Amino acid sequence: MLIEDRLKELKELINRKVPSGITVSNVEFEGPELVIYTDDPKQFADQADLIRVLARDLRKRIVVRPTILEDPEKAYDEIVRIVPENGGITDIFFDPDTGEALIEAEKPGVVIGKNGSTLRDITKSIGWSPKVVRTPPIESSTVKQIRQYLRANRDERKEFLRMSGRRIHRDINTKDQWVRVTTLGCCREVGRAAFLLSTPESRILIDCGEKPGATNGATPFLGVPEIQPLTNLDAVVLTHAHLDHCALIPLLFRYGFSGPVYSTPPTRDLSSMLQLDYLDVIRKEDRPAPYSSNEVKQYVRNSITLNYGSVTDIAPDIKLTFHNAGHILGSAIAHFHVGDGLYNIAFTGDFNYSKSRLFNPATSNFPRLEAIFMESTYGASHDMTPARRDAEMKLYDVIKRTIERGGKVIIPAFAVGRSQEVMLALEEGIRKGELPSVKIFLDGMIKEATAIHTTYPEYLNSDLRNQIFREGLNPFLSECFEQVDSSDKREAVINGDPSVIITTSGMMNGGPVIEYLHNLAADERNTLVFVGYQADGTLGRRIQKGWREIPIGTKGSININLEVMTVEGFSGHSDRRQLMSFIGKIHPKPEKIFCIHGEESKTLDLASSIYKKFHIQTYSPMNLETYRMV
């Protein structure tokens, strides 16, 4: 059936289901959504359950858009009148092409109202379709630029969504039924995550990252016949924003991909920020860049964001649902429902099966599950990390000891995730008197990443949300934190009083940490503290192994005289106990488990242990293998 015929059929069906007096003027696929255009948006708003009923009966995500719009100035006044003053509206943008009124507010929940009642009142009053986004408590230039960019490119965006929607909802042309996964990276290694999920109808790429510390073999195997040409990819699904999963997604656009990239909203914002920073680091090191900022912009324009639990068509025979992965802000376990109940497969990305200061534990319950690809970063039998509180107390002791002898503490950390975990621990330590009132300097992309965290507090755990909203205590705004935003400021920190410096990059592959190391490594009063995983080949791993003379590009070498410490327990990854616990509690039990994203010995160890304990078929795949699931 042609798409036009299907849309005509859907329009007739909708008209039969809506009450008399409501006119449906047009329907159109836009991305994964079915958009209903109507002259009577106020009547639609009066029928509180109508959209939910239509979505259930049609098995589509439904959006209603008006064809007749109130004057924006009058609509603005009406919104301000309807929304309680404590909603904290900071901006309202009207998009006549979509009929949406985008309301930025400090308290989106107040603007939405109980069960969406305030939004319905707005729609009934002005006709525009209201959408609410949070005003970041800490201004994020990334969030601001993305919102402005999407507004400025709304025509191209609308056309992209229309074309994507028609591709998603095309007819299935074959009666063949099979499901395959091809490993394009991240097997028996950490980094360059990339997996191709294929059916007779569809091809979906899960992640596309770089390999930290690699001098060759740093990119996934994107040239193999299974994935070429890239123009035939239906979609890319991004589990989270770390560079070993997201760095090379813009590269796909450079070589012909033009489809959608699905992620959670914070993952879109964080990944674009890190991709631009990735390009900046490459240029400073005088290396050839794999893509330009134009491809990053195209990635943003082609992004489709989904919240946890939202079941979404992404291809004619594949539905995607994101579940909390507990790793970093917006990280997701991607669950794919293939065919009409044919097969269910999940990719964990990186995940943490314990509660952290930032996030709830990863989800382990799924509607159906036949196979899962799970990370194995800490999969060896000896990979047991200490309790979070023990790790924090050890870090406190290291900081106190270093400050007392007049030194500085350098903590290399990922801008996203690890930095915020350490920040929360240090802020509480100072607030409760467990640490001296020392200044904590943030360098690199940490402040911007933290601002994005404050934009999406609904992705944080309930304890932290309550602390921010009910107790009015936002730890990220503490006076103990100070941003380093210039070379002069960095020099002042290096030459200044004893302090703590949290800086990028986490594995010491470039970034401001190199300058701090260059200036502070010779002084034995200082301390370098590793709080995260250091991959093979990285500068961080070499220092961690005991190297005391480190070559640094054109700067010669650095002699390491400062104290070097590793404080385990801050990781956003599951340790061995948690990985085994995850499999023990996962429901339903999968038939096949693939151990990926770990050094070879760790993936083999974990796969063997899972098989022995749970009697589930396990694999430690190598790159460039294809597995037929059905």
Side-chain angles (χ1 to χ4, degrees):
M1 182 186 294
L2 295 175
I3 286 289
E4 285 75 13
D5 295 332
R6 179 173 295 177
L7 288 169
K8 182 180 178 182
E9 185 181 272
L10 284 169
K11 181 181 176 182
E12 291 172 353
L13 183 59
I14 292 168
N15 271 322
R16 288 198 298 270
K17 289 181 176 291
V18 300
S20 60
I22 296 180
T23 303
V24 174
S25 56
N26 192 27
V27 295
E28 181 61 86
F29 290 123
E30 293 186 13
E33 299 174 330
L34 179 66
V35 181
I36 300 173
Y37 289 90
T38 177
D39 300 337
D40 308 298
K42 298 178 183 180
Q43 285 84 345
F44 253 100
D46 276 331
Q47 303 286 328
D49 293 330
L50 180 56
I51 295 175
R52 181 181 58 81
V53 170
L54 288 173
R56 181 198 64 199
D57 293 350
L58 301 177
R59 300 178 68 184
K60 305 289 183 189
R61 294 177 65 192
I62 303 291
V63 174
V64 175
R65 289 191 182 147
T67 53
I68 301 174
L69 300 169
E70 179 69 84
D71 175 73
E73 288 188 13
K74 292 181 181 178
Y76 184 99
D77 292 339
E78 276 297 288
I79 292 172
V80 172
R81 180 186 67 79
I82 294 169
V83 175
E85 191 172 333
N86 65 338
I89 293 176
T90 56
D91 191 19
I92 304 175
F93 172 76
F94 295 92
D95 186 349
D97 294 324
T98 63
E100 289 181 346
L102 184 67
I103 306 169
E104 289 193 8
E106 294 171 355
K107 297 181 179 179
V110 174
V111 182
I112 294 169
K114 188 175 181 179
N115 298 322
S117 59
T118 307
L119 286 186
R120 285 196 296 275
D121 289 343
I122 293 171
T123 304
K124 285 189 282 187
S125 179
I126 67 173
W128 294 79
S129 299
K131 265 185 89 173
V132 188
V133 294
R134 186 178 303 278
T135 304
I138 304 174
E139 185 175 71
S140 163
S141 59
T142 300
V143 172
K144 185 176 181 180
Q145 288 167 6
I146 286 176
R147 290 177 180 175
Q148 290 176 342
Y149 178 75
L150 291 176
R151 290 175 187 175
N153 292 271
R154 59 182 181 268
D155 292 340
E156 295 94 329
R157 170 84 173 167
K158 188 173 182 179
E159 178 61 18
F160 156 71
L161 289 173
R162 190 182 73 85
M163 296 299 293
S164 295
R166 289 172 172 243
R167 181 171 172 82
I168 291 167
H169 296 96
R170 68 187 186 268
D171 282 339
I172 293 177
N173 295 316
T174 178
K175 294 182 179 179
D176 293 341
Q177 290 190 324
W178 49 260
V179 180
R180 298 189 309 181
V181 175
T182 301
T183 57
L184 302 175
C186 204
C187 292
R188 304 194 184 190
E189 63 179 353
V190 174
R192 59 169 173 176
F195 299 89
L196 183 69
L197 174 63
S198 304
T199 73
E201 287 291 332
S202 312
R203 294 197 299 172
I204 309 294
L205 179 66
I206 299 97
D207 291 341
C208 191
E210 56 115 26
K211 184 175 180 179
T215 53
N216 54 49
T219 61
F221 294 94
L222 299 177
V224 297
E226 286 84 351
I227 193 172
Q228 289 293 333
L230 295 178
T231 50
N232 287 346
L233 272 178
D234 284 274
V236 176
V237 173
L238 176 57
T239 60
H240 68 284
H242 278 151
L243 289 173
D244 58 333
H245 294 256
C246 77
L248 298 178
I249 284 178
L251 181 68
L252 303 172
F253 291 98
R254 185 170 184 175
Y255 290 103
F257 176 65
S258 60
V261 181
Y262 294 90
S263 71
T264 62
T267 293
R268 176 199 61 191
D269 295 358
L270 290 167
S271 58
S272 60
M273 175 196 76
L274 291 174
Q275 288 159 357
L276 291 172
D277 185 59
Y278 172 71
L279 290 179
D280 187 51
V281 170
I282 286 175
R283 292 191 192 101
K284 287 178 179 177
E285 295 177 350
D286 201 28
R287 292 188 284 139
Y291 51 83
S292 71
S293 60
N294 288 331
E295 282 79 38
V296 179
K297 290 178 181 177
Q298 189 170 356
Y299 156 54
V300 171
R301 191 168 64 244
N302 285 32
S303 63
I304 296 177
T305 58
L306 306 173
N307 292 317
Y308 295 149
S310 177
V311 182
T312 304
D313 291 300
I314 64 169
D317 57 346
I318 298 178
K319 295 181 186 292
L320 166 68
T321 310
F322 283 136
H323 300 274
N324 172 42
H327 175 62
I328 64 170
L329 186 73
S331 61
I333 297 174
H335 179 276
F336 298 93
H337 179 81
V338 181
D340 190 12
L342 175 66
Y343 206 74
N344 292 265
I345 185 170
F347 292 79
T348 66
D350 295 347
F351 75 102
N352 187 2
Y353 198 50
S354 66
K355 186 176 182 179
S356 67
R357 283 186 174 270
L358 284 168
F359 310 114
N360 290 322
T363 298
S364 58
N365 288 309
F366 305 93
R368 283 184 55 185
L369 189 65
E370 279 80 48
I372 188 166
F373 281 69
M374 64 180 287
E375 70 132 318
S376 315
T377 312
Y378 292 110
S381 56
H382 61 269
D383 285 336
M384 305 295 188
T385 58
R388 187 63 57 107
R389 183 59 180 166
D390 292 341
E392 291 174 355
M393 295 308 296
K394 182 177 179 181
L395 180 60
Y396 291 174
D397 289 341
V398 171
I399 291 173
K400 285 187 286 188
R401 188 172 68 245
T402 304
I403 298 300
E404 286 169 0
R405 67 183 180 226
K408 298 179 177 65
V409 179
I410 309 169
I411 304 177
F414 294 119
V416 179
R418 205 64 43 81
S419 294
Q420 290 73 36
E421 286 279 347
V422 173
M423 287 171 65
L424 291 177
L426 298 188
E427 183 276 335
E428 184 179 283
I430 292 173
R431 177 161 44 85
K432 293 185 174 181
E434 295 175 310
L435 277 175
S437 185
V438 65
K439 185 60 70 176
I440 301 167
F441 294 102
L442 310 175
D443 205 339
M445 299 299 296
I446 294 171
K447 182 181 179 182
E448 179 61 22
T450 303
I452 296 174
H453 278 68
T454 67
T455 306
Y456 298 103
E458 61 272 25
Y459 283 83
L460 305 175
N461 69 38
S462 53
D463 294 340
L464 186 53
R465 286 201 307 271
N466 288 338
Q467 186 179 345
I468 293 172
F469 294 117
R470 293 187 181 178
E471 301 173 21
L473 179 63
N474 189 333
F476 295 123
L477 298 175
S478 172
E479 292 181 356
C480 67
F481 300 121
E482 188 171 326
Q483 174 70 13
V484 178
D485 49 17
S486 68
S487 55
D488 289 343
K489 178 73 173 179
R490 191 173 296 137
E491 186 176 347
V493 172
I494 289 168
N495 296 318
D497 295 331
S499 60
V500 177
I501 304 160
I502 308 176
T503 181
T504 55
S505 68
M507 296 186 191
M508 305 185 73
N509 282 339
V513 69
I514 301 301
E515 189 169 342
Y516 288 110
L517 191 68
H518 188 76
N519 287 277
L520 300 175
D523 191 339
E524 60 187 15
R525 295 176 301 170
N526 300 325
T527 306
L528 177 67
V529 184
F530 293 109
V531 294
Y533 181 79
Q534 305 298 306
D536 266 335
T538 62
L539 178 59
R541 174 65 76 93
R542 292 176 186 138
I543 296 175
Q544 198 176 44
K545 282 180 174 179
W547 287 31
R548 287 295 175 258
E549 186 174 347
I550 305 296
I552 302 291
T554 58
K555 293 184 178 180
S557 62
I558 297 175
N559 291 319
I560 306 294
N561 293 326
L562 81 178
E563 184 179 8
V564 177
M565 296 289 297
T566 297
V567 178
E568 297 178 335
F570 285 96
S571 178
H573 297 270
S574 301
D575 71 2
R576 170 59 176 259
R577 280 185 298 252
Q578 293 156 4
L579 291 168
M580 295 297 285
S581 177
F582 175 76
I583 296 303
K585 294 179 182 177
I586 196 170
H587 181 81
K589 284 287 183 291
E591 299 165 358
K592 298 176 182 177
I593 297 175
F594 296 81
C595 297
I596 57 163
H597 196 287
E599 295 166 13
E600 182 173 5
S601 61
K602 296 177 186 288
T603 60
L604 289 167
D605 188 341
L606 182 61
S608 174
S609 299
I610 291 173
Y611 176 75
K612 289 176 182 176
K613 183 171 183 177
F614 299 106
H615 308 292
I616 298 172
Q617 193 171 1
T618 56
Y619 303 84
S620 171
M622 294 189 291
N623 291 328
L624 291 177
E625 292 185 336
T626 295
Y627 292 85
R628 179 166 179 171
M629 305 296 172
V630 176

